């Protein structure tokens, strides 16, 4: 993924001030990325994780390397977002041709289609696959709205190793779109994306927090965790999943299975109930 030339200029002050808080250049790049990101909740989550790891790292050189990596990712994401917000794509390229926004290299389309609301324009989508230098094999999805026979990107993300076709479901406040996905790395957990869909709005897709519900499960079932791949039935808003204790290996949970019921509350996927079905 190509980085903006500005990175060369910004690294010098970052090197000089590697303290427990984020360097000013990283913070400014983060704030700039938030302005256009279609997945700001994911961006905030990743920034918080970077800050936690940085605060717990006593080695100044390791912190510096972390700062440089974070700065590079933020600048690259901002460049992709700017490119996407100014792109116009021929309608015939909606499905079969990979619309290269710069999020991945070797971009190819594995699946595509469109969603038709009761009112408002169609929402086109395509699942993409490729790679990045930082993460290796990467998958993502891009959504488009149709305007005068051309397509404009309205949401995009490359956060997983694979994605399934998007699914529309009803929830509190209207229509939602879920994109089931798998994360990168050995754990191969969830990378599901959820958006609130408001077809006639200027910004039709609003990201929903699709990950913090796991902490709610542990609150309702103390000592147990919903790790790994959890397949949510978005039509019924339930999932039956294996539960893990703190001492369990990542492959095998010994906490039985839990039936989890979900609901949309505000801008997050929440747990309305969690019950053990066995031990």
């Amino acid at each position: 993924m190509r980085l903006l030339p500005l990175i060369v200029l910004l690294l010098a002050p970052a090197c000089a001030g590697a303290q427990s808080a984020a360097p000013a250049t990283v913070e400014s790049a983060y704030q700039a990325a938030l302005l256009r990101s279609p997945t700001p909740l994911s961006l905030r989550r990743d920034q918080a994780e970077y800050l936690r790891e940085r605060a717990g790292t006593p080695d100044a050189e390791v912190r510096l390397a972390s700062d440089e990596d974070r700065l590079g990712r933020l600048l690259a994401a901002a460049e992709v977002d700017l490119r996407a917000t100014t792109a116009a794509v021929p309608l015939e390229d909606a499905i079969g041709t990979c619309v290269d926004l710069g999020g991945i290299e070797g971009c190819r389309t594995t699946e595509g289609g469109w969603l038709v609301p009761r009112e408002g324009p169609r929402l086109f989508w395509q699942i993409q696959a490729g790679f990045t230098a930082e993460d290796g094999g990467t998958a993502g999805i891009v959504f488009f709205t149709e305007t005068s026979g051309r397509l404009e990107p309205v949401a995009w993300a490359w956060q997983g190793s694979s994605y399934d076709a998007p699914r529309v479901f009803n929830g509190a406040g209207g229509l939602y779109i879920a994109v089931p996905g798998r994360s990168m790395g050995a754990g191969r957990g969830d990378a599901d994306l959820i958006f609130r869909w408001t077809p006639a709005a200027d910004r039709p897709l609003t990201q929903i927090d699709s990950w913090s519900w796991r902490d709610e499960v542990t609150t309702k079932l103390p000592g147990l965790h919903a790790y790994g791949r959890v397949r949510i039935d978005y039509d019924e808003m339930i999932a039956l999943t294996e539960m893990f204790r703190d001492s369990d290996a990542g492959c095998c949970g010994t906490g039985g299975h839990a039936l989890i019921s979900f609901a949309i509350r505000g801008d997050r996927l929440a747990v309305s109930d969690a019950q053990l079905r066995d031990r």
Side-chain angles (χ1 to χ4, degrees):
M1 187 183 295
R2 186 171 64 86
L3 302 183
L4 291 173
L6 185 60
I7 188 172
V8 177
L9 301 177
L10 291 179
L11 285 180
C15 297
Q19 305 299 323
S20 58
T25 49
V26 173
E27 177 62 23
S28 59
Y30 165 65
Q31 294 298 333
L34 276 175
L35 295 177
R36 288 192 175 92
S37 175
T39 55
L41 301 184
S42 295
L43 186 58
R44 292 190 182 102
R45 176 198 61 192
D46 295 344
Q47 184 73 0
E49 180 62 24
Y50 150 75
L51 291 173
R52 280 194 298 269
E53 292 183 357
R54 192 180 194 283
T57 302
D59 190 300
E61 291 187 2
V62 175
R63 290 200 306 271
L64 177 59
S66 175
D67 296 341
E68 293 176 352
D69 177 76
R70 185 61 182 158
L71 179 59
R73 289 175 181 267
L74 289 168
L75 291 173
E79 183 180 19
V80 169
D81 294 344
L82 177 60
R83 181 174 177 176
T85 54
T86 58
V89 181
L91 184 60
E92 57 269 22
D93 291 348
I95 300 175
T97 303
C98 186
V99 178
D100 186 3
L101 299 178
I104 51 176
E105 298 182 49
C107 183
R108 67 184 189 279
T109 300
T110 60
E111 194 173 358
W114 61 86
L115 305 171
V116 183
R118 290 183 178 179
E119 296 181 1
R122 290 182 292 177
L123 186 69
F124 288 80
W125 58 271
Q126 65 172 226
I127 295 174
Q128 300 182 346
F131 66 93
T132 67
E134 299 85 357
D135 300 318
T138 305
I141 188 165
V142 181
F143 288 97
F144 312 85
T145 54
E146 182 181 4
T147 304
S148 302
R150 296 181 69 81
L151 300 178
E152 297 179 358
V154 292
W156 48 90
W158 298 270
Q159 299 176 6
S161 62
S162 64
Y163 284 99
D164 296 336
R167 303 167 187 180
V168 179
F169 66 97
N170 290 298
L175 285 177
Y176 294 83
I177 298 174
V179 188
R182 303 198 72 174
S183 64
M184 293 175 278
R188 300 282 285 174
D190 294 325
D192 289 15
L193 294 165
I194 302 178
F195 297 92
R196 181 183 291 109
W197 185 21
T198 311
D202 292 338
R203 190 167 186 169
L205 296 180
T206 302
Q207 188 187 21
I208 300 298
D209 177 341
S210 58
W211 55 86
S212 61
W213 62 265
R214 292 176 187 267
D215 294 334
E216 296 182 35
V217 173
T218 299
T219 299
K220 292 180 181 296
L221 300 174
L224 298 177
H225 310 276
Y227 289 146
R229 185 76 167 108
V230 178
R231 297 183 180 276
I232 300 175
D233 181 336
Y234 287 101
D235 291 326
E236 300 296 332
M237 293 295 279
I238 59 173
L240 181 64
T241 186
E242 185 178 26
M243 299 301 294
F244 291 76
R245 295 186 173 94
D246 291 335
S247 58
D248 289 342
C251 67
C252 315
T254 63
H257 292 77
L259 182 64
I260 305 171
S261 300
F262 297 92
I264 299 292
R265 294 176 182 162
D267 286 340
R268 66 184 180 90
L269 180 67
V271 174
S272 56
D273 192 27
Q275 298 182 10
L276 281 177
R277 302 302 296 267
D278 58 52
R279 285 283 182 179

